[in-house]
Amino acid sequence: MTQEVRVDQKAAKLSLSYILVAFIGFGIAAIAGLLQGLDRAQLITLPTWLNYYQILTAHGVLMGLVFTTFFIEGFLFSGIARVQNGKLTPLGLKLGWVGFWVMLIGTVMGVITVLMNDASVLFTFYAPMKASPFFYIGAALIVVGSWIGGWGMFAEYRNWKRNNPGKFSPLFLFTAVATMTLWQICTLGVAAEVLFQLIPWSLGMVDTVNVLLSRTLLWFFGHPLVYFWLMPAYMTWYLIMPKIIGGKVFSDSITRLVFVIFVLLSTPIGFHHQLMEPGIDPKWKFLHVALTLSIAIPSLITAFTMFATFELAGRAKGATGLFGWFRKLPWKDARFFSLFLAMLWFIPAGAGGIINASNQLNQVVHNTIWVTGHFHLTIGTAVALTFFCVSYWLIPHLTGRKMTRTTNELGRLQAVLWSIGMIFMSGSMHTLGLLGGPRRTAGTTYMNDPTALSWIPFHKLAALGGAFLFFAAMLQVGLVLYLAFKAPKGEQEYPMGDVAEDAAETPRILERWPVWISVAVILILVAYGYPIADMIQNPPPGAPGVRTW
Amino acid sequence: MHIHRYEKYWLMFGGGIIIAFIVALFVNAFAMGMTPPSDLQRVDPKKVEQTAPFDKPGLKQVGPNEYEAVMVSFAFGYNPNQIEVPVGSKVTFISTSKDVVHGFQIPGTNVNMMVVPGHVNKVTHTFDKPGEYLILCNEYCGAAHHMMMAKVIVK
Ligand code: HEM
Ligand SMILES: [Cu+2]
Ligand SMILES: [Cu+2]
């Protein structure tokens, strides 16, 4: 693979369309985020036509579904083109575009119903709160569109395998397929919920809904969703970062192994979101807790691999001593600097995750704003900063422009502002959560309850963090628009790491998807088969829908 | 597959810690009986007021220093919205919902459970310190979710 491979015009246009929608959604969501923080700190009072839960729904849907899913589709298509001489197949391109439009229509439907205050049910759309059917149909279209894009990527993979019989697929293609495989498996849960439960019920075709089943199907998807966000970030860390720091991909087989483990373990662990819930036997909950803790293993492997990559790159540049490599890293390069901060933030984020997953500790933090603090570190920082950093080189590469010195400096400033914002916001949210402050709750003192009053200073600190984050977000959107439309013409490299020459041979089994998908299905049947069958056969009394907002 | 020697040590160390966590949680849940709130009883959300014990919400003494507080959750409150118990009481909160999903949490304690329509949920806590405890809803349930509260007064 030569250095100068460029993503061709057709693939670039597809990828760029996804990425621009992602950042527009992100920009709007950031405004909502700031307002939420200010409202909770009682620094502003929202006007009567705009309620807290409405903007929270918009923030959650735009950040959690639109920004992430659009960015991921765009990024993966670009990388797949990059490892195939810059080209996508006609079938891949076509499915990519169909997916794009279906997702966009779904997004618009969702956003309109939220703006009309017909869907203030948050992005978790908990039944029996009943939103407009258009909201559920919009959400379903976002998911279906992302499937179609995923089929485009599978088509690329099939095509590659056909043209290269018996060879290992390029790592980027393999990890992209792993990510999309996980996504196709886990979204079956939410698709079943939306298609068979929520849409018929919101249209008035059935009266009541099986709430426990709806929550279980939602969380069947809800946890793997976070790995769907994380895997493209890991792809950047494993495959792109080595090239940026002038090193090599540490190990082909370990990279494949980590992604296979995610495909296997991400889905059968959803009950850890339902630990405080009635109707589920504690033994089933425990099985999910144990599996959840095991998913720390790929993260441990990643921590090792990242430092090994740093050290090897540093030594190749002549670093000596135990930590000499540290100074050889390209700190002045925004493409690396943001990534490093993203990885650093993932360490406390992961530790928080272990706490959330533990069935007894969860009782302390469940549904408190600790959880919000936790995922603003994982997806809101580790993943988001990685995506920002990808945008700095990917967008100019796609538009035939160049990252300038100034964009580089602003990119580094962005990462610093974001980190400062998160120290305040996420730090306060974690503290408030331990004190018992609830999540998803508008500014309130519970009629001057002394406990709730004592939380206000932390809410103010969180709002201060929100202000930093808001400025950083606007800077990021500005950088994206500049790099897409205004930056000087030129060549910007698409960094794609090569595997170290002395890395050991990859075991064949890692490329056998039928094996891994079967194992994943078996694990899901073990973890979910009986409980879901039981919920369907012995349903709890149904709940009629209500609009409580 | 080749795995570096240091990586093996690192995985043995990390994996060992994770196994220790799992064992500790297992012992905690099943040998010491500290499973999270997971009641399996059901009740028709449309008939909460006609179904025992929710037809008579309120506090009931069930033993020396032991109480049951039956509290119906609804948008946006709990019935009853205030209970009084003596210091040192062990209180089991029993709740269900008449409408949507609610939360039931007492900041400063480990009382934290989901209240789902169609199901009954329970959690027990011993109040060793006098004072006013806030019960709040921590699961978004609608426009006045942030007003949904009750109090436990411990004297
Ligand atoms: C400008 C930066 C941001 C600010 C100021 C911000 C602020 C907030 C605040 C104040 C909440 C509500 C807390 C509550 O009441 O529970 C929230 C919720 C949330 N945020 Fe952010 N956030 C930001 C960035 C992000 C990013 C980058 C993501 C993910 C990519 C994200 C995802 C979410 C989600 C999924 C929720 C929960 C919505 C729900 O509960 O349904 N946020 N954010
Ligand atoms: Cu409530
Ligand atoms: Cu509520």
Side-chain angles (χ1 to χ4, degrees):
Chain A
M1 193 97 0
T2 55
Q3 214 76 319
E4 277 80 38
V5 176
R6 291 193 52 83
V7 174
D8 75 3
Q9 284 270 316
K10 284 188 187 151
K13 211 171 142 211
L14 175 69
S15 167
L16 190 69
S17 306
Y18 274 111
I19 286 172
L20 288 180
V21 175
F23 278 104
I24 293 168
F26 168 78
I28 302 171
I31 302 173
L34 175 68
L35 294 176
Q36 289 156 206
L38 295 174
D39 180 78
R40 295 203 64 150
Q42 317 229 304
L43 294 169
I44 58 162
T45 315
L46 291 171
T48 44
W49 49 267
L50 188 69
N51 85 57
Y52 183 86
Y53 304 105
Q54 193 180 354
I55 51 176
L56 181 56
T57 306
H59 179 80
V61 171
L62 286 173
M63 284 293 191
L65 293 177
V66 174
F67 167 55
T68 49
T69 312
F70 273 89
F71 185 90
I72 291 168
E73 296 267 344
F75 174 42
L76 298 195
F77 270 118
S78 78
I80 290 174
R82 167 68 177 76
V83 294
Q84 301 189 109
N85 263 321
K87 285 188 194 37
L88 292 174
T89 61
L91 180 61
L93 267 174
K94 181 179 270 162
L95 290 171
W97 277 114
V98 175
F100 173 79
W101 287 110
V102 173
M103 278 173 69
L104 194 62
I105 294 169
T107 305
V108 171
M109 278 170 85
V111 170
I112 290 177
T113 47
V114 173
L115 288 180
M116 289 167 56
N117 200 20
D118 274 338
S120 298
V121 295
L122 308 187
F123 85 116
T124 36
F125 34 79
Y126 284 149
M129 268 189 278
K130 191 164 164 182
S132 150
F134 291 106
F135 179 73
Y136 301 120
I137 295 172
L141 288 179
I142 298 183
V143 170
V144 171
S146 71
W147 285 350
I148 299 174
W151 299 336
M153 297 182 205
F154 295 153
E156 296 295 330
Y157 179 75
R158 262 241 313 273
N159 182 60
W160 194 94
K161 286 300 250 189
R162 209 176 294 134
N163 294 338
N164 300 272
K167 279 206 249 162
F168 279 103
S169 57
L171 257 185
F172 193 96
L173 185 54
F174 180 90
T175 51
V177 165
T179 306
M180 284 299 163
T181 302
L182 168 75
W183 186 240
Q184 306 264 342
I185 296 176
C186 77
T187 43
L188 290 176
V190 71
E193 181 199 6
V194 169
L195 290 180
F196 300 127
Q197 291 195 285
L198 301 185
I199 292 180
W201 164 76
S202 67
L203 286 170
M205 290 152 65
V206 286
D207 293 336
T208 61
V209 61
N210 180 340
V211 178
L212 184 63
L213 179 64
S214 76
R215 295 174 66 83
T216 303
L217 291 174
L218 183 100
W219 288 120
F220 179 101
F221 138 94
H223 198 75
L225 169 66
V226 312
Y227 290 105
F228 174 64
W229 298 331
L230 188 62
M231 284 160 83
Y234 271 23
M235 289 167 72
T236 313
W237 302 0
Y238 274 94
L239 304 177
I240 309 261
M241 188 272 286
K243 180 75 178 204
I244 294 173
I245 66 172
K248 297 270 190 206
V249 173
F250 179 68
S251 156
D252 182 273
S253 34
I254 285 184
T255 310
R256 289 180 206 254
L257 178 69
V258 164
F259 281 79
V260 166
I261 298 178
F262 276 134
V263 174
L264 297 186
L265 283 186
S266 295
T267 316
I269 63 183
F271 281 164
H272 77 236
H273 286 264
Q274 298 178 279
L275 289 173
M276 297 303 127
E277 233 157 280
I280 301 168
D281 194 286
K283 291 186 210 74
W284 287 111
K285 291 181 177 174
F286 186 79
L287 173 67
H288 287 228
V289 165
L291 287 170
T292 308
L293 291 174
S294 323
I295 211 163
I297 302 275
S299 294
L300 288 170
I301 300 180
T302 305
F304 183 91
T305 312
M306 289 307 113
F307 282 98
T309 313
F310 293 157
E311 182 175 354
L312 289 178
R315 291 210 191 282
K317 290 185 196 164
T320 51
L322 199 50
F323 291 111
W325 50 268
F326 193 76
R327 269 189 278 126
K328 296 277 178 192
L329 293 171
W331 297 107
K332 291 208 155 49
D333 186 342
R335 297 177 309 159
F336 173 73
F337 183 70
S338 296
L339 267 191
F340 187 83
L341 285 179
M343 294 176 195
L344 205 61
W345 282 114
F346 199 60
I347 299 171
I354 293 195
I355 294 176
N356 299 342
S358 311
N359 51 358
Q360 276 303 306
L361 292 179
N362 186 271
Q363 199 157 357
V364 180
V365 296
H366 175 77
N367 262 356
T368 68
I369 198 166
W370 157 288
V371 178
T372 317
H374 164 70
F375 68 71
H376 279 86
L377 283 188
T378 49
I379 180 206
T381 307
V383 173
L385 276 179
T386 300
F387 290 180
F388 299 164
C389 150
V390 168
S391 74
Y392 299 149
W393 51 261
L394 179 59
I395 294 178
H397 178 90
L398 296 176
T399 52
R401 294 175 192 274
K402 243 191 123 36
M403 204 179 151
T404 58
R405 254 192 77 85
T406 322
T407 34
N408 187 61
E409 292 313 304
L410 289 176
R412 293 205 305 152
L413 174 68
Q414 201 282 342
V416 171
L417 286 178
W418 193 270
S419 300
I420 296 173
M422 275 304 168
I423 290 173
F424 282 108
M425 189 171 97
S426 172
S428 314
M429 285 174 165
H430 276 93
T431 315
L432 275 166
L434 291 178
L435 297 172
R439 75 193 281 200
R440 301 170 153 178
T441 300
T444 176
T445 60
Y446 293 105
M447 306 174 82
N448 292 327
D449 177 85
T451 312
L453 284 173
S454 72
W455 297 336
I456 297 226
F458 293 104
H459 281 302
K460 293 213 160 109
L461 281 178
L464 176 69
F468 271 96
L469 288 168
F470 174 75
F471 285 120
M474 292 303 124
L475 179 55
Q476 173 62 25
V477 174
L479 281 171
V480 164
L481 294 177
Y482 176 79
L483 289 168
F485 302 111
K486 278 269 173 303
K489 297 268 175 203
E491 294 269 308
Q492 181 72 42
E493 178 201 18
Y494 195 127
M496 184 65 74
D498 302 314
V499 178
E501 281 97 28
D502 55 353
E505 215 194 307
T506 306
R508 289 265 139 219
I509 179 97
L510 283 173
E511 186 105 38
R512 300 241 159 86
W513 282 114
V515 175
W516 299 123
I517 293 172
S518 312
V519 178
V521 170
I522 292 169
L523 282 173
I524 290 172
L525 286 176
V526 169
Y528 269 118
Y530 177 80
I532 290 187
D534 189 47
M535 285 173 208
I536 293 173
Q537 271 173 347
N538 307 303
V546 254
R547 174 165 170 158
T548 50
W549 70 91
Chain B
M1 193 169 88
H2 169 79
I3 294 180
H4 193 280
R5 185 155 49 99
Y6 288 151
E7 179 150 33
K8 274 192 196 131
Y9 295 157
W10 169 248
L11 281 178
M12 271 166 7
F13 169 72
I17 289 180
I18 287 166
I19 291 170
F21 283 177
I22 295 178
V23 170
L25 290 174
F26 186 85
V27 171
N28 174 292
F30 299 109
M32 295 159 72
M34 296 206 278
T35 50
S38 314
D39 201 82
L40 298 176
Q41 289 176 71
R42 290 141 176 228
V43 49
D44 189 335
K46 289 172 294 220
K47 301 199 188 103
V48 170
E49 269 123 355
Q50 293 95 284
T51 314
F54 302 103
D55 53 347
K56 295 196 193 71
L59 192 69
K60 200 168 70 188
Q61 185 152 15
V62 290
N65 272 336
E66 260 190 73
Y67 296 85
E68 272 179 9
V70 175
M71 297 178 75
V72 177
S73 306
F74 58 91
F76 301 99
Y78 302 93
N79 179 22
N81 69 4
Q82 185 160 326
I83 60 167
E84 256 186 64
V85 293
V87 179
S89 314
K90 183 171 165 188
V91 184
T92 300
F93 296 93
I94 304 173
S95 195
T96 188
S97 165
K98 291 204 292 193
D99 40 50
V100 298
V101 182
H102 298 280
F104 190 110
Q105 186 197 348
I106 305 184
T109 71
N110 286 349
V111 174
N112 194 346
M113 65 174 167
M114 302 297 293
V115 185
V116 180
H119 299 267
V120 178
N121 212 357
K122 282 187 188 142
V123 61
T124 302
H125 181 73
T126 305
F127 290 91
D128 288 325
K129 272 203 277 181
E132 251 190 64
Y133 292 80
L134 173 68
I135 300 178
L136 59 81
C137 172
N138 64 12
E139 176 81 328
Y140 167 63
C141 54
H145 157 64
H146 51 286
M147 312 294 280
M148 183 164 166
M149 62 181 288
K151 291 249 160 141
V152 184
I153 313 235
V154 181
K155 282 206 179 127

